[in-house]
Amino acid sequence: MRYSLRRFSKFVAALAVAGSVSMISASPAEAASATCVVAGTSCKTGNVKASSAHWIQYYWDSGLSAVGCSMRVVDVANGAIVYAGRVGIGSHKNGYIYGLYGTYRMELYNCSTGAVGYIKNTVI
């Protein structure tokens, strides 16, 4: 899923106005999606269980950062990194990680304020 810079800016602005990042109403281990917005140099999402088809979808964007942004998806149970990558200045990346059976969180690091990312286990 690709967002234009304008749409991304509106998304970040809406999150900032809300004052907090929220997840779909469920306990963190059962949430269908989780988002984080970098306020300093890093952030972590809440926990998301892999879909019944054993995948997680990810998206992250460095925003207007002057440094890019690194991301990893971590298995909450054992700390194993199941995916990692980096995007450059003003860039984003999305995709799916297949073959997952547990619960996962996304960690953004080495970023600038305004970078954003999410993981989810639903198609919508």
Side-chain angles (χ1 to χ4, degrees):
M1 173 155 104
R2 294 187 173 235
Y3 287 104
S4 68
L5 189 54
R6 181 182 296 161
R7 189 168 181 187
F8 171 73
S9 297
K10 289 179 183 178
F11 173 73
V12 171
L15 287 176
V17 169
S20 67
V21 178
S22 64
M23 295 185 294
I24 293 175
S25 295
S27 68
E30 297 173 357
S33 67
T35 303
C36 74
V37 178
V38 175
T41 61
S42 64
C43 66
K44 295 178 182 179
T45 67
N47 300 340
V48 174
K49 188 174 180 180
S51 73
S52 59
H54 309 293
W55 54 262
I56 292 279
Q57 182 182 13
Y58 64 86
Y59 172 87
W60 89 101
D61 192 308
S62 66
L64 300 177
S65 164
V67 298
C69 188
S70 296
M71 182 276 284
R72 62 183 162 232
V73 176
V74 178
D75 185 316
V76 174
N78 60 25
I81 297 170
V82 297
Y83 181 84
R86 180 156 182 84
V87 293
I89 299 167
S91 298
H92 64 269
K93 188 170 183 180
N94 64 295
Y96 292 85
I97 308 164
Y98 297 97
L100 303 179
Y101 290 82
T103 302
Y104 303 87
R105 77 171 173 266
M106 174 187 277
E107 300 176 354
L108 300 180
Y109 60 100
N110 294 334
C111 306
S112 290
T113 299
V116 63
Y118 71 77
I119 56 174
K120 64 181 187 172
N121 64 11
T122 59
V123 177
I124 298 172

